[in-house]
Amino acid sequence: MSEIAFEELISSSSNQYTFTALLIHGLLGSRDSLMDFARSLASSLSTSSEWRMILVDLRNHGSSVDREGLSPPHDIPNAARDLANLFISLNGDWPDVVIGHSLGGKVALQYVLSCAQGDYGDSAKLPKQLWVLDAIPGKIENKSHYEELGKILHSLQTLPSPIPSQEWLVDHMVGQGFSKFLSEYISSHLKKSGEHLTFSFNVEGVIQMFKSSRVTDYWVLLEQPPKGTEIAIVRTESRLTWDPDVVERLESLAKRESDGSSGKVSVDVVPRAGHWIHKDEPQRLLEIMLWVLDVIPGKMENKSQNEELVKALRTLQTLPSPIPSQEWLVDHMVNLGFSEFLSGYISSSLKKSGEHETFLFDIEGAILMFKSARDTDYWPLLEQPPKGMEIAIVRTESQLMWDMNVVARLESLAKRESDGSSGIVSVHVVPRSGHWIYKDEPHRLLEIMAPRMASMVQPNL
């Protein structure tokens, strides 16, 4: 069993890791294409957990070009099976997260589909997350830029050997009627081999893989994602790539309520990015991904209301400036699929600034603080409160917010007898109150708090 070439990055200086992410490049690329992004991702994640990044060269690309045993057909299913074979060789240490760009996104979709179908054996484990970067999940229709790429790949079969220089190749291809941008992109994949220039990919093989990527269709996977797996589509705004009907279908899947029997789909748009999102807007892509990746070892469960708030906060980054009005913002967010309640709550934080409407908070800062709130864990403090201190938890009855195991843990701490060496924990429930207890039930909250605060100033008799 032949293996594709790969490289491993581990964020920990001790070479230990808890989670693994697999990164898959696009057509004509190599593992180097995603190396900078992988380093940034590993560094960003290292504050909360240790990660291993596996970057591969797909068959017919990079250092895998010369690997024997990667037999035809050179299609998306076989490229995905190469990934499975790699992880089998790595003692079955399967990836928790899979990230694929462009053609690599199609390979990643096939990998998850085959894992779910049991094609890789009983030892194969589904990833918790699949990130598809600017790859259409279905068949690719006859779009002009795909047609041009297909033609230019075929033209490479007729080139002289050796190729004189990069400049010669650009001039030659432009002379054949191809765009200068695409001609320069193709020529950037030339490499020195002795005295000659050769391509960093196998021409015949990539043509077959490109054809396969255009006819493969993974809508069935998005319609029914495997239970426990999130498929996150990150796309550009390009209308050349993304037809309105495809966009609408994706958005519909992302808005669909899950009954727990399957995974879920999310969609994020990166404004102003070109096709190479990880190079054009790496910071924005990191912001999108870290929201989700950081909660794998997380401290807070992925409650639906938390997820909706996360998406709403992200959406604020894409709003026009200035914002026309509160009413416009509510309508805009409701049309994007957010609840009327949350849309109204967000819009209530607008304020007049001259002739314009601005938010009462800094969006980027609020996002970072919310992320921090989700990740922090203070159970150790409640298990051992400082001597002389009472920690009073006042909660609602909401079962959406308060899991039964959390409630039971709090009640257990509140009932615990104190030996005087530490403080105490108390728990109070305010019936019929919403999340904003101090507004919904201020008198009940005062009844709980005032006597305890007054006792602090009473003299000891």
Side-chain angles (χ1 to χ4, degrees):
M1 180 173 64
S2 185
E3 296 170 16
I4 53 175
F6 74 98
E7 190 166 339
E8 183 180 76
L9 293 177
I10 299 178
S11 60
S12 167
S13 57
S14 64
N15 227 33
Q16 300 296 310
Y17 59 90
T18 308
F19 303 101
T20 295
L22 166 64
L23 292 90
I24 313 167
H25 64 80
L27 186 74
L28 310 188
S30 69
R31 61 183 186 268
D32 291 340
S33 306
L34 286 162
M35 186 64 73
D36 287 344
F37 182 75
R39 289 195 177 105
S40 297
L41 183 59
S43 175
S44 299
L45 289 166
S46 65
T47 58
S48 60
S49 54
E50 303 300 346
W51 283 76
R52 174 180 66 160
M53 304 282 155
I54 298 287
L55 299 98
V56 298
D57 286 345
L58 291 173
R59 58 170 55 214
N60 299 305
H61 293 77
S63 298
S64 293
V65 168
D66 300 323
R67 296 289 174 102
E68 296 181 358
L70 299 174
S71 305
H74 297 299
D75 55 16
I76 298 301
N78 272 330
R81 182 169 287 278
D82 293 340
L83 302 175
N85 289 341
L86 173 63
F87 283 98
I88 290 170
S89 74
L90 296 173
N91 300 316
D93 199 355
W94 300 85
D96 302 281
V97 174
V98 177
I99 305 164
H101 172 249
S102 195
L103 177 136
K106 279 291 188 79
V107 175
L109 285 162
Q110 178 65 54
Y111 171 84
V112 169
L113 179 62
S114 294
C115 275
Q117 293 174 340
D119 296 344
Y120 303 146
D122 295 337
S123 66
K125 295 179 182 177
L126 276 163
K128 297 178 180 71
Q129 294 168 14
L130 165 60
W131 292 86
V132 180
L133 309 182
D134 214 42
I136 296 172
K139 294 181 180 179
I140 299 172
E141 302 298 330
N142 294 328
K143 292 182 172 294
S144 59
H145 55 296
Y146 286 106
E147 294 302 312
E148 185 183 22
L149 179 55
K151 290 177 181 177
I152 204 168
L153 288 175
H154 281 287
S155 75
L156 302 184
Q157 296 172 304
T158 63
L159 291 175
S161 183
I163 297 168
S165 67
Q166 282 190 322
E167 294 76 12
W168 177 89
L169 180 59
V170 172
D171 291 342
H172 175 76
M173 300 187 84
V174 169
Q176 288 192 324
F178 297 112
S179 68
K180 187 171 184 181
F181 169 81
L182 189 54
S183 301
E184 289 177 341
Y185 174 66
I186 294 291
S187 70
S188 70
H189 291 89
L190 287 170
K191 64 176 182 178
K192 271 281 190 184
S193 179
E195 297 298 312
H196 306 304
L197 287 173
T198 61
F199 285 110
S200 59
F201 53 85
N202 177 276
V203 176
E204 299 293 337
V206 299
I207 288 174
Q208 291 179 46
M209 293 178 73
F210 178 63
K211 287 180 178 178
S212 177
S213 73
R214 294 192 63 174
V215 299
T216 47
D217 188 332
Y218 298 103
W219 282 113
V220 65
L221 178 64
L222 271 68
E223 293 285 351
Q224 192 71 24
K227 185 176 181 179
T229 297
E230 176 180 358
I231 301 176
I233 308 292
V234 183
R235 68 174 185 85
T236 64
E237 294 176 307
S238 171
R239 293 186 179 181
L240 286 174
T241 301
W242 294 95
D243 283 337
D245 58 330
V246 173
V247 170
E248 183 179 349
R249 189 172 180 183
L250 283 173
E251 295 293 346
S252 176
L253 290 173
K255 292 173 185 176
R256 189 174 56 182
E257 289 291 330
S258 174
D259 60 3
S261 64
S262 63
K264 63 178 183 176
V265 172
S266 64
V267 179
D268 291 279
V269 182
V270 181
R272 299 178 300 280
H275 178 57
W276 289 271
I277 300 174
H278 54 283
K279 290 186 177 182
D280 296 340
E281 292 287 341
Q283 194 57 43
R284 180 71 188 103
L285 183 57
L286 281 173
E287 289 170 2
I288 292 170
M289 296 182 72
L290 290 176
W291 274 103
V292 186
L293 289 173
D294 253 352
V295 302
I296 288 178
K299 311 301 182 185
M300 186 184 292
E301 298 296 330
N302 288 333
K303 298 285 189 184
S304 59
Q305 70 270 28
N306 286 329
E307 293 303 306
E308 187 182 23
L309 181 54
V310 167
K311 291 180 179 178
L313 289 172
R314 289 184 198 159
T315 299
L316 302 187
Q317 296 174 309
T318 66
L319 293 176
S321 182
I323 297 167
S325 67
Q326 281 189 327
E327 294 75 14
W328 177 90
L329 180 58
V330 172
D331 290 342
H332 177 73
M333 297 187 73
V334 168
N335 287 336
L336 288 174
F338 297 108
S339 67
E340 192 164 345
F341 170 80
L342 182 58
S343 301
Y345 173 66
I346 295 287
S347 71
S348 71
S349 297
L350 286 171
K351 65 175 183 178
K352 270 284 187 183
S353 178
E355 296 300 311
H356 307 307
E357 298 270 4
T358 60
F359 284 107
L360 289 165
F361 53 86
D362 178 79
I363 295 172
E364 299 294 336
I367 288 173
L368 291 172
M369 293 179 74
F370 181 70
K371 176 180 179 294
S372 176
R374 292 184 64 175
D375 292 344
T376 47
D377 186 339
Y378 296 105
W379 283 112
L381 177 64
L382 271 69
E383 296 283 352
Q384 192 72 27
K387 185 177 181 179
M389 177 178 287
E390 176 183 359
I391 300 176
I393 306 293
V394 183
R395 70 174 185 86
T396 65
E397 294 177 306
S398 170
Q399 292 183 1
L400 286 174
M401 179 69 71
W402 295 93
D403 283 338
M404 295 309 296
N405 61 334
V406 173
V407 171
R409 189 173 180 183
L410 284 172
E411 295 292 347
S412 174
L413 291 173
K415 293 175 183 174
R416 189 174 56 182
E417 291 290 331
S418 174
D419 61 3
S421 64
S422 62
I424 61 173
V425 172
S426 63
V427 179
H428 310 270
V429 181
V430 181
R432 299 179 301 280
S433 178
H435 177 59
W436 289 271
I437 300 174
Y438 58 91
K439 288 187 176 182
D440 296 341
E441 293 288 339
H443 295 296
R444 181 71 188 101
L445 187 57
L446 283 172
E447 289 172 0
I448 294 169
M449 297 179 66
R452 281 172 166 74
M453 295 177 68
S455 69
M456 291 169 49
V457 297
Q458 290 177 354
N460 293 322
L461 299 178

